[in-house]
Amino acid sequence: MTPSLESGRSFPLATQSRPGRLSARTCALVRQRARSPSSSVSLSRALVSGAVRGTMNIAKQVAGGALRFRAYATAAYVPPASLEGMQRARPPPSKPKPESPSFYTGRANYFDQLLALEKAAKQTRTALQELQILPLPRFAQQNLPPLRGVWKNKEDLAELLEVGLNTSRYRRFIGQLNQLNEYRRLAEVAGHMELAGRIQRVLDMFERENKDAILAQGKRKPVKFDEFGRSYTIGRRKESTARVWVIKAKEAASSSTAAAGQGEAQPPQDAPAVGIPGFTRGPLSMAPTPIKVPTTNILVNNIPLVEYFPHLSDRERIVRPFRIAGLLGAYNVFALVRGGGSTGQSGALALGIAKALAAHVPEVEPLLRKAKMLKRDPRMVERKKTGRAKSRKAYTWVKR
Amino acid sequence: MSLVIALRTGRVAHSNSSSLVAPAGSVIQARGYAAPVKAAKKVSSKFRPNAGKENDKKNRGGRDPGLFRPMPPNALTHPVFQSEYRSELKLPVYRPETLTSSAAAKALAFPRDDSRALKAFGLPTNILVDYLLLSTPCSVVRQVTVDVLDQLDKAAQSSSQNTRLVFTGQPGCGKSYLMLQAVQYAIQKEWLTLYIPRGINLVNSSTPYAYDARTQTYGQPAYAQQLLKRFADVNAALLQSLTVQSSYPFDEREVQNGAPIMDLINVGVEFQHQAPTVLNALFDELAKQTKYPVLLAVDDFQALYCMSQYRDPFYRAIKAYHLMLPRALLEFASGKRKFARGAFLGALSSQNTTFRAPLELIESLGLPPNGPTNPYVPRQPELIEYAKGLKNFVVPERLTVDEAASIFELWQQSKALHFPRGDELFLSKYTEASGNAREFVEKGLLQTVAM
């Protein structure tokens, strides 16, 4: 049976020997929190405080009894039976009870939270042991997916806990979070998604808002399309950057839909509609429709490609992704390039176009990848070194 | 140089008062102040730094122009030429009847027998280079061609003042080819055609020039003589029926009123120093006659608005409108002189950066200026006058896919390409060239190494 962290019912409070001694308030809180599992902190706090209060009640009773018995020498002895009906002159002073058992630590919030986390970890450990996930054999340990916690920094955590944090307290807290995170990973890998989810809900509070962005750093992000179906990609080569917008060419789209709609061949306007002589019926008797070939228009910094790149090699480099993908005429390109020279700019543009084509038509991605068009050319200009004329060129060797 | 030597060698230092009508010792100045090349004097010393260099110079002969004329296929009788890899382009002929909208994006060959215009007038250099590679002079008819020919048809009935077109557009968009097609059409439609394919040769000091005191302009006798010969050659059939409408008394010969116009032309052809005057007179006669429409077509039109590379005796550059022939062309272009029936065509060219279209011409044609301008930039009033009334005919910067496909087919059929025909290659070259005709052919087809 999976012990639930927030049910509150089957939660054994090991410190309490007398059941039913939980204060009514705590019980109500527990039941409420069990229904709405959002604020695990207060729940954990409630659970923890309930447990602690139980111990305190017992301790108090024992202490109270001891105090009564250990009377001061000056006080007269009064048998207990006589005291039962006695009415005092004034009611005994009611000492306000601290809300949290760790009040006298001075950092109640912090310790409450920490203890709640420790408790949660302990319970999870028990659960995982019952499910025989812990302890893991070595090969499983080695093959677990990588774990990375993106926790709040010290300042943010201090703000959340409303308590000052120094490094050692922060590290202790983070240590507990990491431990819980590891258990969550185990549960996830083992397939116990419910348990993993509940642990995650406890951890969510302490994670950064931009956790997804940080975890996605260094990974390939999917190319986004805007409302007009344009992709936006960036390509880089040497010192140049190209920002490329690629949109499907209108003619191709319209001609394909038109063909689908009409279905039948229409005779051209200027030439008479004659098919192949000798055929009176069938498709060969009709004149072929003149196909409107769509073309790819490329604008670089709002200048046509041929004007911006006078060298043929640059232009061929830019059109190569289209040739390899077989998408000549299917898409139009608008690009802004900046930095570097003609070779760098053309290489950057080619990479941007290749990425865009791979986004528009995922089937061509393996082709472009095989052709190394999706790889950012890492070659950069090598620096000049001291003692050398250029990066590699040495000064003339003199014998003496 | 003493006068005796000068008379003997036929070269005299230029003097202000000399005129075209010359004594035996001619005053024609060759190439401005360029000194004649003297043979190097033999140094009598033992040291001979480059032995045998003088011999090489003698044996080398004249300067190689760098162009060759391919032999006609009939002359290639050796078996090595008889192979299936050699073929001649078989194309429909460029004829007025076929030149309708349905002929758009079709490659047509210029007729070789009927008009010798291509050989007689010559061709712009880029077109000539193309025809050295293709086996026949041909071109692809575009929709703009049909539009221009329609305009020419309309212009046949009205004066040339109403039809003064200048072809403008991006570099390499096909202005020179369009002009060539218009000229060929006019010749076939029995127009009197005068075509100047390289207008820069008028102003780049490549031909001799001489001052004429009567008109106070500089004439180019050799060029004028050549032009008269070519004009007579191309329009021979039509000129037989034309006569002169006033008399021209030259020193050598007098051309009477009513004489055949060929007589006038022959005066200029025979006597070079009279050629510029004869040419001017010929223009007057062609302007008056109404039998045939006249087409005056000038490629590199912007060169007529620049400073020429000729120098006057004070070593100042001579303005192009102070040369007789360019001045006449400018007058026809601006409408100051007009043909009773006909048209004027000009084509701008951006190939030669020494002769760029000036601001006055650009503003008259409504083109975007090259750099920032303002009303305080000096503009010559003469050039503004000569640029008045020119109509800008914009040639589209992109070929359509059909036109580009016809050009591709043409080059494929001539077996000049090193790659096999293919749709994908064609479309990639078209995309790389962004539809520009020159980039498509020169770089995309001929200079590419991609397969």
Side-chain angles (χ1 to χ4, degrees), chain A residues 138-154:
Chain A
R138 201 188 327 145
F139 72 88
Q141 197 87 41
Q142 284 163 356
N143 290 327
L144 285 171
L147 189 67
R148 191 182 160 192
V150 187
W151 311 116
K152 284 190 157 67
N153 59 15
K154 195 166 71 167

Side-chain angles (χ1 to χ4, degrees), chain A residues 215-227:
Chain A
L215 286 176
Q217 275 169 3
K219 288 193 196 141
R220 215 177 304 136
K221 296 164 193 94
V223 175
K224 293 197 198 86
F225 291 81
D226 68 1
E227 68 267 24

Side-chain angles (χ1 to χ4, degrees), chain A residues 238-251:
Chain A
K238 287 193 203 174
E239 297 284 325
S240 313
T241 310
R243 300 158 66 199
V244 182
W245 288 266
V246 171
I247 188 170
K248 199 168 175 60
K250 229 183 196 174
E251 254 180 291

